[in-house]
Amino acid sequence: MSDPLSEVVRLLTPRAAFANIISGKGSWAVHYSEYGKPSFCIVLEGKALLSVDGNEAITISAGDFVLLPTTPAFTISSFTPATPVHMNPHRVAGSTAELRYGEQQGHPDMRSLGGAFLFDCANPELLVSLLPKVVHVPGSMRLSQLVQMVAEESSDQKPGSEFMLSRLVELLLVEAMRSASAGSAPPGLLRGLGDERLARSLKQMHEQIERSWTVAQLARIAALSRSAFFERFTRMVGMAPMEYLLAWRMEIAKELLQNSDLTVSEVAERVGYGSSSTFSVAFSRHVGQPPSQFARTTLATPRNITHRGGAVGSTGTSTALR
């Protein structure tokens, strides 16, 4: 059985880089330029304004969790006007010290715990495109507990911390996605899973990726007419059903070529192609290189892979939503 949310997280193979305390007092504002890697924070005390470029400003309060899968440019500030201090996220990447904005003395008006993590998959673009630009989950005790554990593991560095961090971040992502799929997520996988009828079809597609699906078959699973299913799927998920199926098959194929000893013909069969030649043509068109070349290139490039059974070599730093 293959659950779509679990599969997205597994293919992303996330690993935490660090987590640290961020606080502010008085009138303050900080603008970070685009970073491109995922970050998150949980508000511990007080509240602040978060303005992600291209989105309306939102109030984040104690207990709120925020995930930015690609961390575009954003501004975090107090509610009183202040000239933003411009920060380059690349220059502060890897810091674990507390960051204080505004007045440096006294108890802060806002205190949060922010962190960042990396995706170890070779090409996370499709997977990240299925997620909202901003995931905002108000008052989540479960996410608060997970983020606190991430902070403890990243600061203590006890034996086994790499494995613990990779598992904790996986749990954190799944919990955040669950919350987003239940709300008004933008077009993407989460919005599709939030639609009861489309969720049935999506789960079947993931469970039987090798099956020769048709739009009519998927529509029947969703208890919709073919045209209604096609329109609803495209509107909710952001791409047509067969386009989504092809893209997902290519993601599975890339993982198998990277992390298994299967031949190209065996991979082709696993993802629903009757011949290796047909698969090679589709893979080359979608990925930009033949599967055999993709496998060789991946093997020749040292990477940190978090396997299903454990974490291997997970080191590195990133920047946080801070």
Side-chain angles (χ1 to χ4, degrees), residues 53-114:
D53 285 10
N55 294 70
E56 290 186 11
I58 59 173
T59 297
I60 53 175
S61 306
D64 287 11
F65 173 84
V66 177
L67 167 68
L68 302 181
T70 59
T71 312
F74 68 89
T75 299
I76 186 167
S77 68
S78 62
F79 291 85
T80 52
T83 303
V85 175
H86 290 267
M87 301 284 285
N88 181 343
H90 297 275
R91 292 184 178 177
V92 296
S95 172
T96 55
E98 178 174 346
L99 290 173
R100 181 66 175 262
Y101 301 139
E103 298 174 18
Q104 297 299 300
Q105 303 299 319
H107 191 79
D109 302 321
M110 184 282 298
R111 187 167 175 269
S112 64
L113 181 66

Side-chain angles (χ1 to χ4, degrees), residues 184-207:
S184 55
L189 177 62
L190 298 187
R191 190 166 180 184
L193 290 174
D195 183 300
E196 184 179 351
R197 294 196 178 189
L198 293 184
R200 300 174 199 162
S201 298
L202 282 163
K203 289 175 182 176
Q204 287 296 312
M205 291 166 74
H206 281 254
E207 287 174 6

Side-chain angles (χ1 to χ4, degrees), residues 30 59 81 286 290 312:
V30 180
T59 297
H286 189 85
V312 178

Side-chain angles (χ1 to χ4, degrees), residues 193-235:
L193 290 174
D195 183 300
E196 184 179 351
R197 294 196 178 189
L198 293 184
R200 300 174 199 162
S201 298
L202 282 163
K203 289 175 182 176
Q204 287 296 312
M205 291 166 74
H206 281 254
E207 287 174 6
Q208 301 180 63
I209 195 74
E210 75 289 347
R211 182 171 171 178
S212 298
W213 290 107
T214 65
V215 173
Q217 290 170 333
L218 294 168
R220 281 196 294 273
I221 293 171
L224 294 168
S225 69
R226 187 184 183 282
S227 58
F229 171 77
F230 184 90
E231 185 279 329
R232 190 160 165 171
F233 190 101
T234 304
R235 174 167 47 86

